Amino acid sequence: MLFILEDAINGILMGSIYGLTAMGLTIIFGVLKVINFAHGSLLMIGMYVAYWTVALTGIHPYLSLFIVIPAMYLFGYYLQDIVIKPIFKAEKDVREPITVIIVTTGVWYILDNMTLLFFGPQYRSIDDNPLKGKMMELGEIMISVPKLWGFVTATITAFAIYYFLQYTRMGRAIRATSLDRDAASLSGINQYKIYNIAFGMGTAVAGIAAVTLVPFYNTFPSVGVLFDIKGFIIVVLGGLGSIHGAIIGGMIIGLIESVGPQFMAATWTEAIVYGLFLLVLFVKPSGLFGVKYDW
Amino acid sequence: MKKISALLAITLSIAVLITLSAISASAADKTVKIGNIIPLSGPSASVGQQGKNAREMAVEEINAAGGIASLGGAKLQMVYADSESKPEKGVGEAERLINTEKVSILTGCWNSAVTYPTTAVAERYGIPFVVPVSVADKITEQGFKNVFRIAAKDSWWTRDQFAFMKDMQAEFNTKIVKIAFVYENGDWGQGFAKQWKKLAAEAGYEIVLDEPYPSTSTDLSPIVQKIRRSKADVLMMVSNAIDAILLTNTINEYKVSLKAIITSGGGHADPSFLKAAGKNAQYLFDIVEWETDVNKAGAKEANEKFKAKYGSNLTGEAVDAYVAMYVIKDALERAGSIESDKIRAALASTNLTSGPGMIVGYDAVAFDKTGQNKHASLVMVQVNDIGKGLERITVWPKNARRAGYTPVFPKP
C-alpha cells in the first residue's frame, strides 16, 4: 500500500511537470487555433537557455527563471511576429489556417537541427546544482526534491496564468480574441498583437517548464520530441485551451506512468496512455475540461 | 581505295570509341562510393556522430595512403544518410543510395531495428552491406549473401556477460542469487533479454525482475522503484544513452543497493554517459567490443589521433566503424573491381589479421557463411576512479585486465 502511495506521489509530481510542458501548447492553441508543432523545440530552446545560464553563472537553477522567462517571451513574440504572422495574414479568410501548422513543423525542424549544429548531440546536465539527485525521505517514502519544486512551480504558473487571463485587461483581450477573433477586431483589439503576446506567453511557459526540468533532466537537441508527443496527448485529454485541464491531464498521464508499472511491464503503460487518448477522442472529443461549444 | 578508307574510318572510330569508354570507365573507377546509413539526428545522434567521425578518419588514412591500389589508386568516397533511428528512414535511404547515388557498398545502421529491414533492401539489389555493429542475431540469420557483420552478435554478448559473472563469483568468493533484467523494449533489448533468461535458467539464477521499458520514457523512477523492491543482487541492463543516464542517476537517488550492475554497451558506452552520470556510474561493469586501454598495436595511436581530431575517445562502435573501412579497403584491393558480386566474393573470403585497421581486441576478421565475423569477442570494463577521474578499466577476460587493477566487487 505504501508502495502505491509512493508511486502516486511521484506520478503527480512528474505529471504536473508534464502538464507544465503542455500548458504553453494549450495557450497557443486556445488563442491562435493553431497546433504548434514546434512546441517541443521551444521547450528545448528554453532548456538550453536555462542550462547555459546556470552553467556559466553557477546560480541556483530556479534563479535562471529571471532570464529564461523574458528571453523566451521575446523569442516567442518575434517568432510569431516575423515567421508565423505573414502566413496568418495570407490565410486571413480561412478559419483554421493549415499552412501555419506546416510552418510550425518547419520551425521545429530548423530549431532542432540548428541546436544540433551549434551544440552537438551531447547530453548536458548541471552536475553541481543544489537540486540534482536530492531526495526527501518521509519514513519509507522517498520523494524527489527537484520534482517537488517542479510541482510547486507548475501550480503557481497555472494559477498565475488563470488570474492573468481572467482578471486583467490584457487577459480579457486575449480571451475575446480566442472566442471570436473577428468580433474582437471589431471592438478595437489588434488581433495580431494578441497573437504575438499569446505566442510569447506560450513560449515563456515552455521556458518555465524547461527550468523545472534542467535540474534533474538532460539537455540535448531532440529532448523536445520526447515531451512533445506527451504534450499533445495531455492537451487533448485535458481539453484544448484549458489551463487547469493541461495540469490535470498531465497528472493523469504521470499517475498511469508511475503506478502502472507496479502491476505490469512499463511498456504497457504507454499502450494505456495512447488507449486513453483514443478513448477521449471517441467519447469526449473536447477533452475532460474543454468547453463544449466550438470556439 | 575507297573501300579501304571506309574500313579504316570504321576501325578508327571503333578504336576511338573503345578508348573513350575505357577512359570514362577508369575515370569512374577513380572513386568508390560507400553509402553509410547512420543516425545523425534523433535519439541516437550522439553514437551516429561517433561512427561518422571514425569512418572519416579511416577513409582519410586510406585515401592519403594511396587509395585502392588494385583499382588504380581509386579513392573512397563517403555518402552519408541520416536514419534518425527510424527503420522506414533507413529503408528509404538505402533505396536512394543504391538507385540515385549508385554506391558500391553500404554500411550502417547501428540501430538493429533499422539495420534489419535495411539489409533486406541491399540483398534485393545485390549490394554488399557491411554492418560494423548492430547486434541483433537475426541480422545475419536471414540467409542473406550480402550482409557482413564485424562486431559480435548479441547472443555472444550475453554469453560473455554470464561467463564474467561466473568468474567474478569464483574470484571474489561472493554468491550471486537474484538477478534483475531491465532493458529498452526495442529489438536490441528484447534480443538480450531472451538470451539472459535462457542463460540464467541454465546457470540456476533466480530472476526477480524482467522489465522492458520504452526508451522514450521521460521518467524512469517507476522502473527504479521496481528494481529497489525486487532486492536483486545483480542488475543487468540494456539502454540507449538518455535512458542509461536517467536510470543510473535515479538508481543512486533511490539508494538501491546492488552487488553489481552489468550493462551492455550502447548508451552506457557513450562518452556523454560518463559526463552526465558522473560519480553515479562508479563501479558499473560494462561489456564492450573495445576499450582505449586494450593492448593492441596501433590502438593507442589511433585513439590519440581520434581524440585530437574529435575531442573524445574512440568507442567500441567507433572502432567497429573504423575497422569496417579497412575491411572494405582490403576486400576492394582483392576484388580489383567495383562490381557488386566481385566485392561480395572478396568480402566473403576476408581474412584480415594485421595492418593499420586492426586495432580490435581480437586477432582476425573472417566471416562465416552467414556473414558473421567468427573471431569477434568482447571485453568487460569497470567504471572507476583510480586517481585520474572516472575511467573505463578493462577487467575481463582476466588475461586482458589492465596491469595492477583489482575490480571492485561486490559494489561497496
Side-chain angles (χ1 to χ4, degrees), chain A residues 5-212:
Chain A
L5 184 66
E6 189 176 24
D7 295 330
I9 291 171
N10 177 63
I12 288 175
L13 298 189
M14 195 64 204
S16 65
I17 296 173
Y18 291 158
L20 192 56
T21 63
M23 205 187 292
L25 198 63
T26 219
I27 293 171
I28 292 171
F29 179 84
V31 181
L32 281 80
K33 301 292 175 287
V34 160
I35 309 269
N36 176 23
F37 277 102
H39 195 71
S41 305
L42 297 178
L43 178 74
M44 179 271 297
I45 300 278
M47 286 179 77
Y48 271 96
V49 175
Y51 170 81
W52 285 115
T53 309
V54 178
L56 295 177
T57 60
I59 53 172
H60 188 282
Y62 275 78
L63 284 178
S64 70
L65 279 173
F66 290 105
I67 290 175
V68 173
I69 294 178
M72 292 302 285
Y73 178 82
L74 290 177
F75 183 71
Y77 187 99
Y78 287 105
L79 182 70
Q80 153 70 21
D81 194 50
I82 295 164
V83 181
I84 301 174
K85 194 169 79 182
I87 318 289
F88 250 118
K89 286 195 165 161
E91 295 232 331
K92 211 187 291 187
D93 306 327
V94 187
R95 194 175 164 279
E96 268 149 9
I98 306 288
T99 29
V100 179
I101 297 179
I102 296 165
V103 169
T104 63
T105 314
V107 170
W108 159 24
Y109 274 91
I110 290 170
L111 290 180
D112 278 20
N113 286 302
M114 293 255 282
T115 320
L116 190 63
L117 207 65
F118 285 132
F119 299 116
Q122 290 92 341
Y123 305 95
R124 295 166 197 276
S125 69
I126 302 154
D127 292 323
D128 50 349
N129 79 70
L131 291 175
K132 183 169 180 169
K134 282 275 150 46
M135 297 299 269
M136 217 162 79
E137 286 176 58
L138 301 173
E140 293 272 297
I141 297 175
M142 295 178 92
I143 297 168
S144 162
V145 174
K147 285 180 192 166
L148 192 63
W149 278 67
F151 170 76
V152 172
T153 312
T155 318
I156 293 172
T157 310
F159 276 111
I161 288 175
Y162 182 78
Y163 177 85
F164 172 79
L165 291 177
Q166 219 62 30
Y167 299 109
T168 62
R169 202 177 152 75
M170 179 58 78
R172 269 200 297 278
I174 291 175
R175 278 190 296 139
T177 313
S178 87
L179 280 172
D180 189 327
R181 55 182 171 225
D182 297 327
S185 297
L186 287 174
S187 338
I189 295 169
N190 182 346
Q191 175 190 340
Y192 293 107
K193 178 106 195 210
I194 296 291
Y195 285 178
N196 291 353
I197 291 168
F199 211 96
M201 267 173 69
T203 312
V205 173
I208 298 173
V211 171
T212 66

Side-chain angles (χ1 to χ4, degrees), chain A residues 3 6-7 10 14 18 109 113 116 121-123 125 127 132-135 137 140 142 147 216-218 220 222 226-227 230 257-258 261-262 264-267 270, chain B residues 40-46 49 84 86 185 211-219 221-223 225-226 228-229 241-242 245-246 249 253-255 270 272 275-276:
Chain A
F3 285 174
E6 189 176 24
D7 295 330
N10 177 63
M14 195 64 204
Y18 291 158
Y109 274 91
N113 286 302
L116 190 63
Q122 290 92 341
Y123 305 95
S125 69
D127 292 323
K132 183 169 180 169
K134 282 275 150 46
M135 297 299 269
E137 286 176 58
E140 293 272 297
M142 295 178 92
K147 285 180 192 166
F216 68 97
Y217 208 72
N218 298 287
F220 56 101
S222 52
L226 299 179
F227 288 93
K230 233 162 232 153
E257 274 192 1
S258 191
Q262 310 313 320
M264 62 194 101
T267 306
E270 254 200 356
Chain B
L40 295 170
S41 66
S44 317
S46 178
Q49 189 60 44
E84 298 171 20
K86 293 175 186 156
N185 65 1
E211 187 75 7
Y213 66 88
S215 60
T216 51
S217 288
T218 40
D219 181 21
S221 43
I223 310 287
Q225 289 286 25
K226 279 182 107 163
R228 183 162 75 121
R229 289 162 196 166
I242 179 67
I245 296 166
L246 214 50
N249 287 338
E253 283 160 19
Y254 281 94
K255 303 189 177 71
D270 190 309
S272 55
K275 273 187 209 143

Side-chain angles (χ1 to χ4, degrees), chain B residues 217-268:
Chain B
S217 288
T218 40
D219 181 21
L220 287 165
S221 43
I223 310 287
V224 172
Q225 289 286 25
K226 279 182 107 163
I227 301 168
R228 183 162 75 121
R229 289 162 196 166
S230 76
K231 309 243 183 299
D233 294 324
V234 167
L235 167 65
M236 302 184 73
M237 292 204 276
V238 178
S239 304
N240 293 310
I242 179 67
D243 32 323
I245 296 166
L246 214 50
L247 275 168
T248 307
N249 287 338
T250 316
I251 284 170
N252 273 273
E253 283 160 19
Y254 281 94
K255 303 189 177 71
V256 183
S257 72
L258 294 155
K259 284 183 182 155
I261 298 174
I262 298 175
T263 59
S264 314
H268 290 95

Side-chain angles (χ1 to χ4, degrees), chain B residues 96-346:
Chain B
R96 183 178 70 83
L97 290 176
I98 294 168
N99 291 320
T100 314
E101 298 281 352
K102 308 277 184 218
V103 299
S104 306
I105 301 175
L106 281 169
T107 82
C109 310
W110 194 70
N111 308 76
S112 287
V114 182
T115 312
Y116 185 59
T118 307
T119 47
V121 178
E123 180 73 10
R124 188 148 38 87
Y125 287 98
I127 299 288
F129 196 119
V130 176
V131 182
V133 52
S134 281
V135 290
D137 278 37
K138 61 181 184 180
I139 288 167
T140 48
E141 285 165 5
Q142 306 175 85
F144 286 175
K145 290 195 160 47
N146 293 288
V147 178
F148 300 94
R149 170 161 51 196
I150 305 219
K153 50 186 176 182
D154 69 8
S155 57
W156 297 3
W157 288 59
T158 51
R159 172 194 75 183
D160 289 1
Q161 283 172 325
F162 273 79
F164 165 75
M165 257 204 289
K166 197 172 156 215
D167 290 356
M168 290 301 273
Q169 290 182 75
E171 189 179 342
F172 292 91
N173 205 14
T174 306
K175 195 123 188 71
I176 296 170
V177 183
K178 296 174 185 168
I179 50 180
F181 303 146
V182 169
Y183 48 96
E184 63 95 30
N185 65 1
D187 261 2
W188 177 40
Q190 306 252 8
F192 262 70
K194 211 169 125 195
Q195 296 291 328
W196 280 345
K197 277 176 243 175
K198 211 177 92 203
L199 290 162
E202 282 166 15
Y205 296 114
E206 184 193 341
I207 303 169
V208 289
L209 181 68
D210 173 22
E211 187 75 7
Y213 66 88
S215 60
T216 51
S217 288
T218 40
D219 181 21
L220 287 165
S221 43
I223 310 287
V224 172
Q225 289 286 25
K226 279 182 107 163
I227 301 168
R228 183 162 75 121
R229 289 162 196 166
S230 76
K231 309 243 183 299
D233 294 324
V234 167
L235 167 65
M236 302 184 73
M237 292 204 276
V238 178
S239 304
N240 293 310
I242 179 67
D243 32 323
I245 296 166
L246 214 50
L247 275 168
T248 307
N249 287 338
T250 316
I251 284 170
N252 273 273
E253 283 160 19
Y254 281 94
K255 303 189 177 71
V256 183
S257 72
L258 294 155
K259 284 183 182 155
I261 298 174
I262 298 175
T263 59
S264 314
H268 290 95
D270 190 309
S272 55
F273 167 72
L274 268 193
K275 273 187 209 143
K279 207 82 182 132
N280 290 343
Q282 199 173 14
Y283 307 128
L284 177 143
F285 291 104
D286 191 23
I287 189 166
V288 280
E289 323 65 304
W290 196 82
E291 202 46 59
T292 50
D293 61 354
V294 88
N295 188 21
K296 279 289 230 170
K300 203 167 155 240
E301 292 75 14
N303 186 52
E304 267 159 18
K305 186 174 168 195
F306 190 82
K307 195 165 185 178
K309 258 174 120 83
Y310 306 109
S312 63
N313 281 322
L314 278 164
T315 58
E317 279 94 353
V319 169
D320 285 327
Y322 181 77
V323 173
M325 294 303 125
Y326 277 98
V327 169
I328 289 172
K329 183 209 173 243
D330 170 67
L332 286 169
E333 280 300 359
R334 284 180 292 109
S337 159
I338 57 162
E339 273 170 48
S340 307
D341 48 337
K342 292 211 176 114
I343 299 176
R344 197 209 77 78

